Amino acid sequence: MAATRRVLIIGSGGQLGRAVGQAFKARQWLTFGADAHAAAKAPVTHILAMDSGSAPEDQGRQLVSELQRKLGSERLDAIVNVAGGFAMGSASDPAVVANTKAMVESSVYTSVIAAHAASLALRPGGLLILPGATAAFGPTAWSLPYGAAKAAVHHLVRSLADMETSGLPAGVKTIGLAPQTLDTPQNREALPAADRGSWASLEEVAEQLETWCADPSAVESGKVYVIRKANSLPATFEAKNPMMFFASNFENS
Amino acid sequence: MAATRRVLIIGSGGQLGRAVGQAFKARQWLTFGADAHAAAKAPVTHILAMDSGSAPEDQGRQLVSELQRKLGSERLDAIVNVAGGFAMGSASDPAVVANTKAMVESSVYTSVIAAHAASLALRPGGLLILPGATAAFGPTAWSLPYGAAKAAVHHLVRSLADMETSGLPAGVKTIGLAPQTLDTPQNREALPAADRGSWASLEEVAEQLETWCADPSAVESGKVYVIRKANSLPATFEAKNPMMFFASNFENS
């Protein structure tokens, strides 16, 4: 029998998070799930508390402490953070500051908590996956909150790949995941006329994440993987430098 | 007599902020100062409340409301945000999450508040200056909190330069300021053996900011200006793309 593999999923109660939990459970992982908003919905072996009302440093401490208690002398093979939300808002939007706070809390603080948990509980050679965004490769005047938070996550990805200084166990790789539109009930309702053949399904994204976590050897640390899909063909995942402009963004800017 | 010029200085109680207040007052600006921590120390005409204990969206609302009341039908010529702090911390640092919160609050939230205030109170063609950092041009595994927050600010700079979508008044320019080590009493004490001839003085930085604000025509919107100084010659200010690697960072990464 193969050794038990262990993954921590942050944002495990969200739509992508639930698909991730299912994909890992289906392949016999022991799954630990944490979510500030909907942990109870997560299809995971163990739910870890993450109190959205407390300060991020307290959330982090509580998460790590519960995780270590449940792990005992074992270590995680992977940490997958798929927390995050979405908000619009240019400078003139009355909600731009409040939305920035929401995006920072859901994407940036959870990613730093994930990195800190990785430093304490991830096995050498394990994989850490953080929630990036295709939008953050270029300017996002239409959403300062979303773009700024995701640019910060991309910066964490490239910083954590610096193995000498990162504070992570030896050989740990860190990557970002940058979805474009995913095929969810909400997106089907919001964009009824869209070309769904370019939308990756939650299942195919979750299965790719599991594949990477099961064997990170092909993964390039410090890159953000952009999900691409066209004509209903299987989604592909393209490694990009976190801070690089796309040609299309560059032309528009 | 020349028309009265008006500037809002965020972070006006800090060391650079006080030098900025003095430089603008010396050149007959009407100065509005806000600081979450030390507003009372600011040498400005009007102090605006900024309660560090309240949520960022409430700080922003309070700041804008007081500002508009004091401005009446007038508008600002410039907004200069020099708030921010510094914190070390790799992934394994027990304080990495708390320090991320501190850096986000001092650099990112104040910058979004500054952008929102600009949308409501800055004159067309005015100048918005945000607090960037040279470190954020490359990976910062040695400080996830500082690097991530400053990368977010750099992202705001390039996003706000998109005039069609930014929500800012017509012709407003947005730039970042990226200091290297500044000549402060703290740095003299912390780094007694350093080459002070490469440290820009607070006064020369403040005077450059005033020059840009008095006439933004030479300023390139969307750039981060890196302060360079060598051999005790006057500091120079070099415009950089916010997300571009420096060659030296690139070689190290």
Side-chain angles (χ1 to χ4, degrees):
Chain A
M1 199 186 105
T4 304
R5 291 173 304 187
R6 293 168 178 80
V7 63
L8 167 63
I9 304 162
I10 299 180
S12 57
Q15 293 212 68
L16 180 55
R18 294 201 300 275
V20 169
Q22 275 152 357
F24 278 76
K25 283 189 89 173
R27 297 189 197 178
Q28 277 71 54
W29 288 67
L30 196 62
T31 50
F32 300 84
D35 196 300
H37 297 290
K41 288 190 198 163
V44 293
T45 324
H46 297 288
I47 288 180
L48 306 174
M50 202 167 184
D51 174 11
S52 65
S54 55
E57 61 270 30
D58 297 328
Q59 289 182 29
R61 239 189 314 266
Q62 185 184 16
L63 176 70
V64 167
S65 137
E66 276 197 55
L67 178 65
Q68 289 184 313
R69 193 161 45 77
K70 289 198 158 122
L71 279 174
S73 62
E74 302 294 341
R75 290 201 151 225
L76 297 168
D77 297 277
I79 299 180
V80 178
N81 181 9
V82 286
F86 180 75
M88 296 289 290
S90 73
S92 57
D93 189 319
V96 69
V97 181
N99 284 344
T100 301
K101 181 164 175 275
M103 293 298 102
V104 163
E105 289 178 351
S106 61
S107 289
V108 183
Y109 294 160
T110 58
S111 292
V112 177
I113 288 170
H116 186 56
S119 79
L120 296 169
L122 194 55
R123 71 164 171 80
L127 183 59
L128 170 62
I129 302 180
L130 302 182
T134 309
F137 288 104
T140 60
W142 47 273
S143 178
L144 301 181
Y146 184 70
K150 294 301 189 178
V153 173
H154 286 199
H155 181 84
L156 293 172
V157 170
R158 68 173 177 176
S159 297
L160 289 163
D162 174 359
M163 280 311 305
E164 275 179 47
T165 320
S166 68
L168 298 178
V172 164
K173 293 181 176 181
T174 304
I175 62 171
L177 178 72
Q180 316 236 20
T181 311
L182 295 176
D183 191 352
T184 63
Q186 287 83 339
N187 284 335
R188 286 184 177 230
E189 196 174 298
L191 304 161
D195 166 25
R196 289 186 202 161
S198 68
W199 293 359
S201 73
L202 300 173
E203 291 70 25
E204 66 186 333
V205 174
E207 282 168 18
Q208 178 64 66
L209 296 177
E210 194 278 341
T211 301
W212 281 330
C213 291
D215 177 11
S217 62
V219 165
E220 207 179 339
S221 191
K223 302 287 186 183
V224 172
Y225 283 77
V226 176
I227 305 175
R228 296 197 185 283
K229 190 178 173 86
N231 305 320
S232 302
L233 293 168
T236 59
F237 298 79
E238 190 182 349
K240 292 272 181 190
N241 286 318
M243 295 301 182
M244 199 183 62
F245 273 107
F246 280 143
S248 62
N249 292 122
F250 202 74
E251 283 158 19
N252 292 337
S253 72
Chain B
M1 200 186 104
T4 304
R5 290 173 305 187
R6 293 169 179 81
V7 62
L8 168 63
I9 305 161
I10 298 180
S12 57
Q15 293 212 69
L16 179 55
R18 295 201 301 275
V20 168
Q22 274 150 359
F24 279 75
K25 282 188 89 171
R27 297 189 196 178
Q28 276 73 54
W29 288 68
L30 195 63
T31 51
F32 299 84
D35 196 299
H37 297 289
K41 288 189 196 165
V44 292
T45 324
H46 298 287
I47 288 180
L48 307 175
M50 203 166 183
D51 173 11
S52 65
S54 56
E57 61 270 28
D58 296 328
Q59 289 182 30
R61 241 189 311 267
Q62 185 184 18
L63 176 70
V64 166
S65 135
E66 275 198 56
L67 177 65
Q68 289 184 312
R69 194 162 43 77
K70 288 197 159 122
L71 280 173
S73 62
E74 302 294 340
R75 290 202 151 223
L76 297 168
D77 297 277
I79 299 179
V80 178
N81 182 9
V82 286
F86 182 74
M88 296 289 290
S90 74
S92 57
D93 189 320
V96 69
V97 181
N99 284 343
T100 301
K101 182 165 173 274
M103 293 298 103
V104 163
E105 290 179 350
S106 60
S107 289
V108 183
Y109 294 161
T110 58
S111 292
V112 177
I113 289 170
H116 186 56
S119 79
L120 295 169
L122 193 55
R123 71 164 171 81
L127 183 59
L128 170 62
I129 302 180
L130 302 182
T134 308
F137 288 104
T140 59
W142 49 274
S143 177
L144 301 180
Y146 184 71
K150 294 301 190 179
V153 174
H154 285 200
H155 181 85
L156 293 173
V157 169
R158 68 174 176 171
S159 297
L160 289 163
D162 174 358
M163 279 310 306
E164 276 178 45
T165 320
S166 68
L168 298 178
V172 163
K173 293 180 176 181
T174 304
I175 61 172
L177 178 72
Q180 316 235 22
T181 311
L182 296 175
D183 191 353
T184 62
Q186 287 84 338
N187 284 335
R188 285 182 178 233
E189 196 174 298
L191 304 161
D195 166 27
R196 289 185 201 162
S198 69
W199 292 0
S201 73
L202 300 174
E203 291 70 26
E204 65 186 334
V205 174
E207 282 168 19
Q208 178 64 66
L209 295 178
E210 194 278 339
T211 301
W212 281 332
C213 291
D215 177 11
S217 62
V219 165
E220 205 178 341
S221 191
K223 301 287 185 183
V224 172
Y225 283 77
V226 176
I227 305 175
R228 296 197 185 282
K229 189 179 174 88
N231 306 319
S232 302
L233 293 167
T236 59
F237 298 80
E238 189 181 348
K240 292 272 182 191
N241 286 319
M243 295 300 181
M244 198 182 62
F245 273 106
F246 280 143
S248 60
N249 292 120
F250 203 73
E251 283 156 20
N252 291 338
S253 70

